[in-house]
Amino acid sequence: MTTERVRFYQTGSFAVGNRLLPVEARTVQADPGRSNALTSGHRACQGCGEALAARYVLDAAMRATGGRLVTVNATGCLEVFSSPYPETSWQVPWLHSLFGNAPAVASGVATALRVRGRTDIRVLGQGGDGGTVDIGFGALSGMFERGDDVLFVCYDNQGYMNTGVQRSGATPPAARTATTQAVGPAPGNVFGQGKSAPLIAMAHEIPYVATATIADLHDLEDKVVRAMGMHGARYLHVLVPCPLGWGSDAGQTVRIARLAVQSGLFPVFEAERGEVTAVSPIRHRIPVEEYLRPQARFRHLFAPERRDDVIDRLQADADRTIHRFHLLPGEQR
């Protein structure tokens, strides 16, 4: 497979990839010879966090494997905007599966390669939170239980964005979606439902589980490289803000991902065999309100009247997460 050198249209700036840093400190995205796994021409919305994360993850995985990689993609936004028949924006060996069976298909590919003695080719599965946390969770749990040699990546935009912004098991409390409207005494998504896929993955005691966001490119790429250096079932959960579903400005996608981390609502950590081994500390902590305000899906918490009761509950959730994962510098493990 041949690739063209990436043409950087922004020069002399701190554009993605940190191209003004010394070569040894740059990211994969700064390399004009990167695989550019998800190339231009796709139909993602402006500011799509999932499109950014998919290219970052696949480019890092391609470098880590020397280009010997097969990826399996669940149905969802990523598949729909990148491969409208007869076109595709993928520059890697890529398979599309159903909404709920991407982990099983990826396991089958890995097994077939092993049977053929092709241990040099690695497998990466990917899907959104709908296809991972909900519809595909049984297949994912089976992949974990069997220890299949697959890295599965969930691009978490916290809802079924491709089909109209419906609630998923990853939708946060109080968020407005098409199926959790901002009406009544408890507007938005209810508290106490949903699930944490990273924590459930950890309960399987697989070799590697990690979370990341598109706001820290070095961290995301490093985790992909580390995961590809291991064997067995591995899981990476990436927060990818969705301007359409979240009602946020398309130019603020990376900033909002950073605010999610700084507020404590999204912990960034690594775990091995069920134990947390490293966390990314919050160096500039913010109240959850700073994260909520730029998103229309939380607008009902501030107008027509301010809902301090709901905001306080969300702040309590963030405080609990910060304490649980020891996310403040003085609380490091």
Side-chain angles (χ1 to χ4, degrees):
M1 181 177 183
T2 60
T3 59
E4 297 181 359
R5 289 176 65 85
V6 178
R7 297 178 182 177
F8 291 130
Y9 294 102
Q10 291 177 273
T11 59
S13 71
F14 287 98
V16 62
N18 311 112
R19 295 193 295 277
L20 298 186
L21 293 177
V23 173
E24 63 275 9
R26 296 178 188 176
T27 64
V28 174
Q29 289 301 304
D31 183 0
R34 72 176 193 237
S35 59
N36 207 30
L38 182 63
T39 192
S40 59
H42 58 69
R43 290 157 171 77
C45 298
Q46 186 178 21
C48 174
E50 188 171 36
L52 293 174
R55 192 183 78 223
Y56 298 164
V57 167
L58 268 296
D59 282 355
M62 286 286 280
R63 172 179 284 188
T65 61
R68 294 182 293 274
L69 181 76
V70 176
T71 184
V72 176
N73 207 128
T75 294
C77 273
L78 182 58
E79 167 263 325
V80 170
F81 72 64
S82 66
S83 60
Y85 182 82
E87 302 169 358
T88 179
S89 289
W90 294 102
Q91 298 195 108
V92 296
W94 182 88
L95 288 78
H96 168 222
S97 70
L98 301 178
F99 215 145
N101 71 345
V105 173
S107 294
V109 173
T111 300
L113 289 169
R114 176 173 54 81
V115 169
R116 293 177 62 87
R118 294 304 305 270
T119 56
D120 59 319
I121 301 176
R122 310 301 301 282
V123 180
L124 184 149
Q126 55 184 359
D129 53 289
T132 303
V133 178
D134 292 342
I135 301 174
F137 197 77
L140 184 66
S141 179
M143 189 197 93
F144 292 159
E145 181 184 354
R146 293 186 301 270
D148 297 323
D149 191 19
V150 175
L151 168 61
F152 198 90
V153 182
C154 173
Y155 302 113
D156 181 10
N157 57 23
Q158 300 184 336
Y160 288 88
M161 303 310 180
N162 180 52
T163 54
V165 194
Q166 295 91 353
R167 175 204 177 275
S168 80
T171 302
R176 181 265 304 146
T177 71
T179 51
T180 58
Q181 293 292 336
V183 296
N189 192 30
V190 299
F191 282 79
Q193 294 187 1
K195 60 182 80 79
S196 170
L199 293 181
I200 299 175
M202 286 172 58
H204 289 74
E205 298 191 357
I206 59 178
Y208 187 72
V209 175
T211 63
T213 79
I214 58 170
D216 190 337
L217 185 52
H218 281 90
D219 176 72
L220 176 56
E221 290 185 350
D222 287 348
K223 286 172 177 173
V224 172
V225 171
R226 186 174 187 197
M228 296 310 298
M230 299 179 177
H231 288 273
R234 291 142 289 143
Y235 182 69
L236 177 60
H237 194 100
V238 187
L239 183 68
V240 292
C242 170
L244 175 67
W246 294 19
S248 55
D249 186 277
Q252 296 295 309
T253 300
V254 172
R255 174 176 175 266
I256 288 176
R258 184 176 297 113
L259 294 177
V261 175
Q262 293 175 333
S263 69
L265 287 173
F266 188 83
V268 177
F269 65 90
E270 293 177 286
E272 297 180 34
R273 302 292 179 184
E275 298 290 336
V276 175
T277 56
V279 301
S280 294
I282 299 174
R283 304 192 185 280
H284 175 62
R285 187 180 180 183
I286 63 169
V288 297
E289 181 173 340
E290 290 189 30
Y291 168 68
L292 303 174
R293 276 192 176 277
Q295 305 175 55
R297 61 176 179 163
F298 294 112
R299 186 176 295 158
H300 55 281
L301 302 183
F302 303 97
E305 61 181 25
R306 184 182 172 90
R307 293 297 303 267
D308 282 317
D309 55 332
V310 180
I311 296 171
D312 288 346
R313 289 190 69 179
L314 292 170
Q315 183 65 62
D317 285 350
D319 295 343
R320 189 179 309 112
T321 298
I322 290 172
H323 177 72
R324 179 178 191 174
F325 289 94
H326 306 283
L327 296 177
L328 297 181
E331 297 181 351
Q332 295 300 288
R333 294 172 182 269

